[in-house]
Amino acid sequence: MKHGHAASLLILTGSTMNASAQFVIPPSPPPEQTGIHCEDFRQLLNGAWTPIRKVTLIAPQGLFTLEPGESIGIETGGHLYNLRIARILNDQCR
């Protein structure tokens, strides 16, 4: 009976490890592809980012502009673009 429990545990552990390995987050794209340059942003105390000057970013749907004072981050509503921009800034600028 002990062998049965060990085998079950091994199967469960193995399947858990395989599932977690499937969720690899790809690296952030380089600034040339996004228009996101660290020197154009500063991080706020709450972890969000804000541009220090007007910046134009490159998205799959086209160009868009951010103005100084706009807050980019998870806590700013979780808009998909905010999450991606914040992740890129976190990866490349901290």
Side-chain angles (χ1 to χ4, degrees):
M1 193 67 156
K2 289 182 182 180
H3 295 289
H5 289 295
S8 296
L9 181 60
L10 182 59
I11 291 169
L12 289 174
T13 304
S15 65
T16 302
M17 284 191 271
N18 289 338
S20 64
Q22 295 173 7
F23 296 105
V24 175
I25 297 173
S28 295
E32 298 79 30
Q33 291 179 3
T34 62
I36 298 173
H37 298 275
C38 296
E39 62 270 11
D40 293 333
F41 293 86
R42 69 178 174 88
Q43 193 165 29
L44 303 173
L45 293 175
N46 66 0
W49 293 86
T50 189
I52 58 172
R53 63 184 130 268
K54 184 177 179 177
V55 294
T56 300
L57 303 181
I58 306 163
Q61 295 76 16
L63 301 177
F64 68 98
T65 303
L66 293 173
E67 298 285 341
E70 289 186 57
S71 184
I72 306 298
I74 294 170
E75 63 286 326
T76 59
H79 187 274
L80 187 57
Y81 294 125
N82 285 353
L83 297 175
R84 288 183 182 164
I85 295 167
R87 179 175 165 257
I88 292 169
L89 287 166
N90 286 339
D91 288 351
Q92 296 177 358
C93 303
R94 286 204 269 180

